[in-house]
């Protein structure tokens, strides 16, 4: 009975930690400032890729 | 902005970066090939210059990417902290509601228990519990419990045949007195109740009498508990026979016990002595057989006066030493006084070894007869009702009871219970909706296939809850005009903005045309406003627009 409780508690803690980490990651990536920077970098990378395409 | 877009954009960014890396490597290889093939120098220099420039830009982008990764990690940490705080707060609420639930459970149990043990309805039980809770405060929390008071009340119910004959305060006092005198609640209740019913004593004086009786017993080296048991066993018959008051009966019980007898023995002696003809005949027979000059007239007179203990003492004195009596002599003695020879012998032996303090006995008897309440209070305050462990347990239960007693309303309790359950369901729902959404998105390899399927089943239930949160989804619209219709509210990342009641919104893709951004429209408008402010008049498709001052007041930076 006690072992069951301990295992359940440990599993609960493990899953809760995983869940929190996962939500935190998603929230961070959806932060407006971060998204703006991603967009800016994407534009820069696209421009560089285009430039390289023109070299062929 | 749909959820998960950020992750997708980041994945796209990494793919573009990888593509760029590949392309640069390819260009480097091509350049290398040009050099090896001996392509003209001008072309090689031109390509080298362009590639160098692109590689520099690539390095800069890589640096920014690294910075971005670091900032994402920082933001993740921040979000994790905030989420953890939220979860902890929800956990605290759960813990509090759990404690409240336990308290409500306790109230319900005690109410049912009181209702059952007192054979009353739940609402009456709630009233009784509330009254008991009121009594169990301050110093009293350690001296007795609700259970003990209920037991006393039950005894009182049986004795008085009604619940109107006593109060919760009296039941508590009696319960504490019983604990302090170390007698059963049944004995204490019977004694106190009978003193009230037969002697017409008040509750307070009956309580004092019990304490003073204990003092009297102590002074005579008699165990009060045994006296109580004697009264419980023979008190009723003795009272019926003697017509004695309870107070006097207690005194008689103490005095007879001191001599080694019980109330029943005193009753037997009295019965025998009052059978005057038979008793005198047996007395003569006893005297003839033993050669003694025993005369029980004084004992008989004392019985008639109601002094049973005195009668016993007189019988003992008249009989004298009985250690050498034969069978017939012993039989004659029993017939004459109603006592067996062995009983008298034991009594004689007890009297020989008893070491009592006559002054103490006298003082105790005086206090008992006068009903010295002050002394009774002093004596009672010196006694402990409970041991340290019992006191701690009583205090814990009584404090819980005191809180519970204030909340004993079944309707209100049911409301509280429903509220607690709803709160727990909402918290659990909010947590599981988030957690399940995340967990089911995890790979089966990480968590285990069985776990994912289990969680999927739970998710189905949680979907009902999540539905309530997603109902407020905004309606979609393609290009068009939204008219004023009495007011307009625009929502965005910076919050909601109330527009002018007469304003309309024109929505469309690439409104500037030619792939230009909206800022280009702003530029054109700014130029137009500048021109208009200089000329004051303007021809548009042949029509002259005069005085366009109003346009000058267009907000700056409209584009």
């Amino acid at each position: 009975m006690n072992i069951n409780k301990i295992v359940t508690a440990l599993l609960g803690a493990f899953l809760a930690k995983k869940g929190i980490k996962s939500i935190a990651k998603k929230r961070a990536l959806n932060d407006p400032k971060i998204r703006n920077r991603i967009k800016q970098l994407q534009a820069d990378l696209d421009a560089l890729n285009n430039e390289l395409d023109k070299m062929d | 902005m749909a959820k998960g877009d950020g992750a997708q954009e980041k994945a796209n960014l990494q793919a573009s970066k990888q593509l760029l890396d590949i392309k640069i490597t390819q260009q480097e290889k091509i350049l290398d090939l040009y050099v090896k093939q001996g392509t003209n120098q001008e072309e090689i220099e031109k390509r080298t210059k362009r590639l160098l420039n692109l590689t520099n830009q690539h390095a800069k982008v890589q640096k920014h990417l690294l910075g971005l990764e670091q900032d994402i990690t920082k933001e993740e940490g921040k979000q994790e902290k905030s989420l953890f705080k939220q979860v902890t707060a929800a956990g605290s609420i759960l813990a509090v509601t759990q404690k409240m639930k336990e308290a409500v459970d306790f109230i319900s149990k005690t109410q049912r228990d009181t209702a059952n043990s007192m054979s009353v309805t739940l609402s009456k039980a709630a009233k009784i519990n509330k009254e008991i809770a009121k009594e169990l405060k301050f110093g009293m929390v350690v001296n007795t419990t609700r259970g003990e008071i209920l037991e006393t009340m039950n005894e009182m119910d049986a004795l008085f045949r009604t619940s109107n004959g006593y109060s919760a305060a009296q039941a508590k006092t009696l319960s504490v007195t019983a604990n302090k005198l170390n007698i059963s609640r049944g004995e204490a209740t019977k004694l106190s109740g009978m003193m009230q019913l037969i002697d017409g004593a008040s509750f307070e004086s009956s309580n004092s009498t019990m304490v003073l009786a204990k003092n009297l017993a102590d002074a005579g080296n008699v165990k009060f508990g045994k006296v109580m048991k004697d009264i419980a066993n023979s008190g009723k018959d003795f009272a019926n026979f003697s017509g004695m008051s309870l107070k006097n009966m207690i005194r008689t019980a103490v005095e007879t016990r001191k001599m080694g007898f019980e109330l029943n023995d005193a009753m037997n002696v009295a019965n025998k002595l009052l059978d005057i003809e038979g008793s005198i005949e047996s007395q003569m027979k006893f005297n003839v057989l033993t050669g003694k000059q025993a005369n029980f007239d004084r004992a008989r007179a004392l019985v008639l006066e109601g002094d049973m203990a005195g009668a016993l003492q007189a019988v003992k004195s008249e009989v004298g030493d009985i250690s050498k009596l034969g069978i017939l002599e012993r039989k004659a003695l029993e017939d004459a006084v109603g006592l067996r020879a062995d009983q008298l012998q034991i009594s004689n032996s007890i009297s020989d070894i008893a070491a009592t303090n006559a002054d103490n006995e006298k003082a105790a008897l005086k206090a008992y007869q006068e009903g010295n309440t002050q002394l009774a209070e002093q004596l009672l305050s010196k006694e402990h009702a409970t041991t340290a462990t019992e006191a701690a347990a009583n205090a814990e239960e009584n404090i819980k009871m005191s809180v519970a007693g204030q909340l004993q309303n079944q309707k209100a309790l049911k409301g509280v219970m429903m509220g607690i359950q709803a709160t727990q369901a909402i918290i659990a729902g909010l947590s599981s909706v988030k957690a399940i959404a995340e967990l089911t998105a995890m790979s089966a390899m990480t968590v285990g296939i069985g776990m994912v399927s289990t969680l999927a089943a739970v998710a189905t239930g949680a979907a009902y809850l999540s539905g309530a949160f997603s109902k407020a989804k905004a309606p979609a619209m393609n290009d068009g005009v939204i008219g004023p219709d009495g007011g307009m509210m625009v929502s965005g990342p910076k919050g909601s903005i109330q527009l002018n009641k007469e304003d309309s919104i024109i929505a469309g893709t690439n409104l500037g045309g030619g792939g230009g951004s909206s800022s280009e429209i702003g530029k054109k408008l700014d130029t137009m406003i500048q021109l208009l402010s200089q000329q004051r008049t303007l021809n548009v498709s042949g029509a002259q627009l005069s005085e366009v001052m109003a346009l000058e007041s267009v907000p700056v930076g409209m584009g």
Side-chain angles (χ1 to χ4, degrees):
Chain A
M1 189 66 180
N2 283 337
I3 290 171
N4 280 346
K5 276 184 186 172
I6 292 165
V7 170
T8 312
L10 284 174
L11 186 67
F14 167 76
L15 293 177
K17 203 180 167 190
K18 276 232 166 206
I20 285 175
K21 271 196 176 293
S22 174
I23 295 169
K25 195 172 183 177
K26 278 195 176 177
R27 281 193 182 179
L29 286 171
N30 281 307
D31 179 71
K33 279 181 194 167
I34 300 275
R35 284 191 74 175
N36 279 341
R37 285 181 63 187
I38 291 174
K39 274 180 186 163
Q40 186 58 52
L41 275 168
Q42 185 65 54
D44 292 347
L45 279 170
D46 287 347
L48 277 173
N49 273 319
N50 285 340
E51 281 290 313
L52 278 162
D53 287 344
K54 282 178 195 167
M55 278 182 77
D56 295 331
Chain B
M1 194 184 291
K3 266 196 169 182
D5 277 355
Q8 189 56 51
E9 282 169 5
K10 177 134 186 292
N12 291 344
L13 193 70
Q14 270 164 344
S16 297
K17 162 79 175 46
Q18 278 172 359
L19 190 66
L20 186 69
D21 290 347
I22 294 165
K23 281 179 181 174
I24 285 178
T25 315
Q26 275 175 350
Q27 288 302 327
E28 279 170 355
K29 280 180 184 170
I30 292 169
L31 189 63
D32 198 33
L33 208 64
Y34 276 17
V35 173
K36 279 176 185 168
Q37 283 175 350
T39 315
N40 77 63
Q41 195 62 29
E42 200 182 336
E43 178 64 22
I44 292 172
E45 276 178 16
K46 196 180 157 192
R47 285 192 84 91
T48 310
K49 207 174 170 185
R50 278 184 77 183
L51 192 59
L52 200 66
N53 185 30
L54 287 169
T55 314
N56 281 340
Q57 285 182 49
H58 175 242
K60 271 184 195 169
V61 169
Q62 210 156 12
K63 193 181 156 193
H64 285 138
L65 267 172
L66 212 69
L68 177 69
E69 288 288 352
Q70 283 172 348
D71 287 352
I72 289 173
T73 312
K74 260 189 208 167
E75 185 62 27
E76 267 178 39
K78 230 163 83 180
Q79 292 289 348
E80 205 175 317
K81 241 183 196 173
S82 146
L83 278 165
F84 187 73
K85 264 187 192 170
Q86 284 176 31
V87 170
T88 314
S92 306
I93 294 167
L94 270 176
V96 169
T97 51
Q98 190 57 37
K99 282 280 164 211
M100 282 172 73
K101 209 175 159 194
E102 280 170 21
V104 174
D105 282 348
F106 176 78
I107 296 166
S108 297
K109 270 183 198 162
T110 51
Q111 217 160 326
R112 174 57 66 195
D113 180 52
T114 302
N116 288 351
S117 64
M118 296 294 290
S119 303
V120 291
T121 60
L122 280 174
S123 49
K124 176 73 181 165
K127 210 173 156 192
I128 293 171
N129 279 354
K130 204 170 176 180
E131 281 171 9
I132 294 176
K134 263 189 202 166
E135 294 301 325
L136 291 173
K137 54 189 176 187
F138 307 120
M140 280 301 145
V141 293
V142 297
N143 286 341
T144 188
T145 62
R146 179 188 63 93
E148 289 175 353
I149 292 176
L150 278 180
E151 190 187 332
T152 312
M153 282 178 154
N154 263 325
E155 295 287 349
M156 286 172 136
D157 263 357
L159 193 74
F160 291 113
R161 311 280 199 277
T162 168
S163 301
N164 298 327
Y166 61 90
S167 66
Q170 289 177 346
K172 175 219 50 185
T173 306
L174 208 51
S175 179
V176 175
T177 304
N179 280 348
K180 288 194 169 186
L181 300 183
N182 202 21
I183 56 175
S184 78
R185 259 160 277 284
E187 288 162 359
T189 308
K190 267 180 201 154
L191 217 59
S192 166
M194 294 301 270
M195 273 191 265
Q196 291 173 64
L197 292 173
I198 297 171
D199 299 0
S202 68
F203 172 81
E204 289 73 19
S205 72
S206 69
N207 205 48
S208 296
T209 303
M210 270 197 290
V211 181
L212 293 169
K214 161 83 164 55
N215 186 44
L216 185 65
D218 287 347
N221 277 334
V222 170
K223 282 184 181 159
F224 187 60
K226 300 280 182 193
V227 174
M228 287 294 105
K229 282 192 172 48
D230 189 18
I231 291 170
N233 292 336
S234 318
K236 214 171 173 182
D237 293 339
F238 189 85
N240 277 335
F241 165 77
S242 64
M244 209 180 256
S245 72
L246 247 293
K247 192 174 174 177
N248 280 339
M249 188 169 76
I250 296 169
R251 180 191 156 186
T252 305
V254 173
E255 286 173 344
T256 50
R257 181 156 285 272
K258 202 180 107 187
M259 285 188 278
F261 298 113
E262 289 187 347
L263 283 177
N264 202 34
D265 300 325
M267 220 159 38
N268 288 341
V269 170
N271 267 326
K272 190 60 81 176
L273 291 177
L274 291 180
D275 173 17
I276 296 171
E277 276 183 32
S279 167
I280 291 174
E281 192 186 327
S282 300
Q283 177 188 312
M284 286 173 70
K285 195 177 172 185
F286 173 73
N287 284 340
V288 170
L289 286 170
T290 58
K292 291 184 184 254
Q293 295 296 316
N295 185 347
F296 303 125
D297 286 352
R298 180 166 159 69
R300 209 168 280 119
L302 285 168
V303 167
L304 289 170
E305 282 172 23
D307 185 357
M308 303 294 174
L312 276 170
Q313 192 58 54
V315 167
K316 269 179 72 178
S317 304
E318 289 297 317
V319 171
D321 182 23
I322 52 167
S323 57
K324 288 171 186 164
L325 295 186
I327 297 169
L328 290 173
E329 292 155 344
R330 293 165 86 94
K331 176 89 175 60
L333 174 66
E334 193 175 339
D335 290 343
V337 298
L339 284 173
R340 295 192 314 273
D342 65 307
Q343 283 177 300
L344 278 165
Q345 251 176 315
I346 289 168
S347 174
N348 286 339
S349 303
I350 288 169
S351 299
D352 289 344
I353 58 170
T356 53
N357 184 324
D359 288 342
N360 277 354
E361 275 190 83
K362 209 174 162 187
L365 183 62
K366 189 169 178 268
Y368 181 78
Q369 282 174 324
E370 287 172 356
N372 190 336
T373 50
Q374 212 175 346
L375 178 69
E377 278 171 26
Q378 277 176 14
L379 291 168
L380 206 58
S381 65
K382 280 182 194 166
E383 297 291 344
H384 295 289
T386 48
T387 63
T389 315
E390 286 166 352
N394 287 357
E396 194 185 337
E397 195 192 323
N398 289 335
I399 289 165
K400 236 200 273 184
M401 178 70 203
S402 173
V403 176
Q406 309 307 312
L407 294 165
Q408 299 221 17
N409 175 313
Q410 273 301 314
K411 270 188 191 169
L413 276 185
K414 278 175 190 165
V416 170
M417 282 298 285
M418 281 167 73
I420 289 169
Q421 277 164 4
T423 310
Q424 284 184 329
I426 289 166
I427 293 168
L430 283 172
S431 309
S432 57
V433 166
K434 278 181 185 172
I436 291 164
E438 296 302 327
L439 288 169
T440 45
M442 274 188 221
S443 77
M445 290 297 285
T446 321
V447 190
I449 292 163
M451 180 59 74
V452 170
S453 57
T454 310
L455 285 168
V458 180
T460 313
Y464 173 77
L465 277 166
S466 67
F469 301 102
S470 60
K471 270 181 187 167
K473 206 177 174 183
M477 187 192 105
N478 284 324
D479 297 358
V481 177
I482 305 168
D485 294 328
M488 190 80 72
M489 184 78 85
V490 179
S491 293
K494 288 182 181 174
S496 297
I497 301 161
Q498 174 71 60
L499 299 180
N500 188 300
K501 281 182 181 176
E502 303 304 320
D503 281 355
S504 296
I505 293 176
I506 302 169
T509 311
N510 196 13
L511 286 174
S517 69
S518 56
S519 63
E520 282 173 17
I521 306 172
K523 276 178 199 167
K524 285 173 188 172
L525 281 169
D526 282 344
T527 313
M528 203 168 104
I529 292 161
Q530 201 182 3
L531 288 168
L532 286 169
S533 62
Q534 284 166 3
Q535 292 175 0
R536 300 281 169 188
T537 53
L538 180 66
N539 281 318
V540 179
S541 302
Q544 186 177 313
L545 300 177
S546 60
E547 290 304 317
V548 284
M549 291 296 286
L551 281 169
E552 286 181 315
S553 62
V554 170
V556 179
M558 183 185 151

